[in-house]
Amino acid sequence: AMWWDAMHALVVDALPPGTALRVALPRDLPVVATSPGALAQVMMHLVLNARQALEHTRDPSLSVSAVDRGETVELRVSDNGSG
């Protein structure tokens, strides 16, 4: 996913040191009609929320994945922090 290529470094920099980042984004995802800026903003809000949850977590991890749902793409962001 082209948008992830631009976001990857920002996400890594925003996470607590030592956080495992797992990414499962199929390269053949369809193009989605959205503002790249809006998608980046949502993603960063989710990552900053994860950062807070991961601060005191042993072996912190963040997962980013996407699933093609036909007319939509479902973006999943999950962490193993509290909350």
Side-chain angles (χ1 to χ4, degrees), residues 4-64:
W4 177 252
D5 296 338
M7 290 291 306
H8 182 260
L10 294 173
V11 169
V12 170
D13 287 346
L15 292 172
T19 300
L21 179 59
R22 295 175 180 88
V23 180
L25 299 172
R27 288 284 175 188
D28 62 348
L29 285 172
V31 173
V32 177
T34 187
S35 160
L39 182 57
Q41 184 177 18
V42 169
M43 185 69 188
M44 287 311 298
H45 281 290
L46 293 170
V47 169
L48 293 174
N49 184 39
R51 178 186 176 86
Q52 291 176 341
L54 293 170
E55 283 182 343
H56 302 291
T57 300
R58 185 178 189 156
D59 300 321
S61 68
L62 180 78
S63 298
V64 178

